[in-house]
Amino acid sequence: MATQVTAMEALQKELDRLNRTPGLSATVDKVDKIIEMLTSVKDQIVQSGMDTHVASMAITRTQNPIKSTFEKINDDLKGVTATQRKLGKMLDKHFPLKDLPSEHDAMADHEPLINRAISMHLLREGQFSVASTFIEETGDAVGLEHVNAVIEGQEQASMSDNYDDEAMDEDHEDENDNEDEDEDEVVSPLGVLATGSGFQQLQSLSSFQSHELEAKFSQMYTILQDIKSRNLLSAIEWARNNSVELEARGSNLEFELSRLQYVWLFKGPTVNGLPDDKFNGTAGALLYAQQNFWRFGNRYIGEIQQLANAQIYAPNLPESPYWKIFSTETAFAHVASSFTREFCSLLGLSAESPLHVAVTAGALALPLLIKYQQATRARGTEWTTTNELAFETPLPERMLYHSIFVCPVSKEQTTESNPPMMIPCGHVLAKETLQRLLKGTRFKCPYCPAEGLEKDARRIMI
């Protein structure tokens, strides 16, 4: 431990030295200066009509300044390079490269899954051009033809998607009332790409060639940027256009956004920076509530009453019982997170990038895996089970998506082929453990005197 601390201190010193090294902004200025001198010489030669005497004089005058400037640039680069080289040597000395566990690559047979995760991550991050290039270089023509056929066959359905920003005419809705029920049964291209059944059909990366998916994420990032700028109107409009789906999911996003808009207007122009007119301040907030809160009367009448009662305490809101409701320090970040989660959910996607979660979890588990590998090799043993880890990896709570069960006898995590089984006395064992305890058709519980029959054991679904 002391050696590790010493190594970190040495690295910190080198890093501090690197941070103290003058930046290269002055060097860039010197390069610009050289370019200016060369451009000036070029202009003089051109203006002289390519006169050889003028050209010779101009080049002679600038030769020494350019040479001296080049030397200064080299000196700057040498200083920075030397410091970086020292830091690199220090890293190699105290943290030598070690081979990572690679005897079994669990993902070797799942290249389409990996490519799909990378593509989705790039699209989620708004890197559309990079995603397009990646898909082109790793996709296959057969899958692309299939997806194009799916998209072409459902163009009309996708035009009526709830994510569409264009409002539909009432007359057009009336003419297509009979078609609505049929459209509910039609799976949109995005649904095909996002759902499990669609994934089974379209595992190839070509399924992400749909520009519609890029448009959805582009819309999401535009709205998130508006929220970051304290402008909730676009997010409210999106939530209102998709209110039916959000209500079906039990989401309160639309009310959260409307409530925050009320609070933001209530704060007044000195805080929200909006025009000082009848649509801002306490009067503007009350007008906004009258025009919009009627939609939420059945579900959120209590919250609406609190917002209305706060009008009485407007002159001294921080001392009122409602001050927490009107705190906006984290409110916009919270609704942005809620919006992202609901937007992705309606696309059939998780709120977080699976690639980001997997890489983060892997980074947390990697030190333990390396330590475990070194310990087992020192004892001459190896972990041979490829579908599970030899120990539990401590992950943050937000990364725990479902429960697991570890057999208290075998210390192995249960799987589909080795599920948890509850015996009549109430104790739970892995199926393989239970089979090892059998004597004929009977067994004795390893934790209590109770005995039972194999047919009485019940599988537990976790």
Side-chain angles (χ1 to χ4, degrees), residues 38 42 71 92 198 207 279 282 284 329 341 347 351 354 383 427 452:
L38 293 174
K42 176 185 174 182
E71 291 175 352
D92 293 337
S207 60
F279 300 106
T282 55
E329 292 181 1
R341 182 174 61 253
L347 289 179
W383 181 256
H427 290 107

Side-chain angles (χ1 to χ4, degrees), residues 22-67:
L24 294 176
S25 57
T27 307
V28 174
D29 293 337
K30 295 171 185 175
V31 174
D32 292 337
K33 184 178 179 181
I34 291 177
I35 295 174
E36 290 177 2
M37 287 189 288
L38 293 174
T39 304
S40 176
V41 171
K42 176 185 174 182
D43 293 340
Q44 292 178 30
I45 295 174
V46 172
Q47 291 174 2
S48 67
M50 308 299 291
D51 186 285
T52 57
H53 176 71
V54 174
S56 176
M57 291 296 294
I59 294 173
T60 302
R61 283 196 300 268
T62 57
Q63 184 175 359
N64 289 335
I66 290 177
K67 182 179 179 181

